[in-house]
Amino acid sequence: MSEVKVQGEVSQTLFEYLHMEILSHLIESYGNEKKGEVISALEALGSRVGESMMERVSKDVPRFRTELDAMIFLCKQFWTHMFNKQVDHLKTNNQDMFVLYDNNFRLLMHLSESSQHQDKSPLFLAFTSGLITGALSNLGIKSRVTYEVPKMPQCFFQIKINL
């Protein structure tokens, strides 16, 4: 059983390293002054990965009846598949807005709380924002995802469902 845990940690480390390399490559390609284009590229890449991963994770799951059922699946199974843990908290207004809270987000753990790193946090969350958008798109749910970092390594993703 511990062998599975080690394998999961290795894959998480490789995922984090790959994310850092993609980010580094995009910054080098676009330049530091084109942060918006880097974020757009990360979101697009994340969306493609999210669609593919949701296809894989949900292949044996019956169709979801509501957006809430889909969000719960995203917070539990999909998030666990991607980050080796569930989302810490999910809030909703029971209409078209969901907020996912992660109190120890893996892609922010290596950054300090300094303002310099706080300014770079959108670069580390853009891929995951796209990941969520793509995963929900695969389930037939159109959405817009925004994100915020109240305090490192905490973050939340606000998901607005487009009806």
Side-chain angles (χ1 to χ4, degrees), residues 51-143:
E51 280 192 52
S52 298
M53 294 309 290
M54 183 56 86
E55 181 77 28
R56 180 177 179 195
V57 173
S58 67
K59 69 180 177 191
D60 297 326
V61 176
R63 192 96 174 128
F64 300 107
R65 291 180 301 197
T66 65
E67 282 93 5
L68 180 59
D69 291 338
M71 293 305 296
I72 291 170
F73 182 84
L74 180 104
C75 293
K76 290 183 176 184
Q77 279 74 27
F78 183 79
W79 210 260
T80 300
H81 187 77
M82 295 304 300
F83 301 108
N84 259 10
K85 67 182 280 287
Q86 293 182 4
V87 167
D88 293 310
H89 197 62
L90 170 66
K91 286 189 178 181
T92 180
N93 67 358
N94 292 320
Q95 291 178 14
D96 61 353
M97 185 70 69
F98 296 89
V99 183
L100 282 62
Y101 293 87
D102 194 324
N103 295 326
N104 214 9
F105 190 61
R106 289 192 75 109
L107 298 178
L108 293 177
M109 288 178 63
H110 62 279
L111 298 176
S112 71
E113 291 188 35
S114 72
S115 61
Q116 171 195 8
H117 287 124
Q118 191 84 15
D119 294 341
K120 290 183 179 181
S121 64
L123 294 170
F124 290 88
L125 296 175
F127 178 81
T128 306
S129 170
L131 201 68
I132 295 168
T133 303
L136 291 174
S137 175
N138 180 275
L139 299 175
I141 300 171
K142 294 181 181 173
S143 63

Side-chain angles (χ1 to χ4, degrees), residues 14-60:
L14 290 173
F15 172 70
E16 291 169 25
Y17 179 72
L18 178 62
H19 182 266
M20 292 289 296
E21 287 300 311
I22 290 169
L23 182 57
S24 176
H25 172 74
L26 289 172
I27 290 171
E28 186 178 302
S29 296
Y30 286 103
N32 278 332
E33 60 280 345
K34 295 185 179 177
K35 185 176 173 182
E37 291 180 33
V38 172
I39 288 173
S40 293
L42 285 166
E43 287 175 346
L45 179 62
S47 181
R48 289 191 302 271
V49 172
E51 280 192 52
S52 298
M53 294 309 290
M54 183 56 86
E55 181 77 28
R56 180 177 179 195
V57 173
S58 67
K59 69 180 177 191
D60 297 326

Side-chain angles (χ1 to χ4, degrees), residues 127-160:
F127 178 81
T128 306
S129 170
L131 201 68
I132 295 168
T133 303
L136 291 174
S137 175
N138 180 275
L139 299 175
I141 300 171
K142 294 181 181 173
S143 63
R144 174 76 180 125
V145 179
T146 57
Y147 40 86
E148 198 170 310
V149 178
K151 179 182 174 190
M152 295 285 196
Q154 297 173 341
C155 68
F156 63 85
F157 297 91
Q158 191 170 19
I159 303 165
K160 171 97 167 113

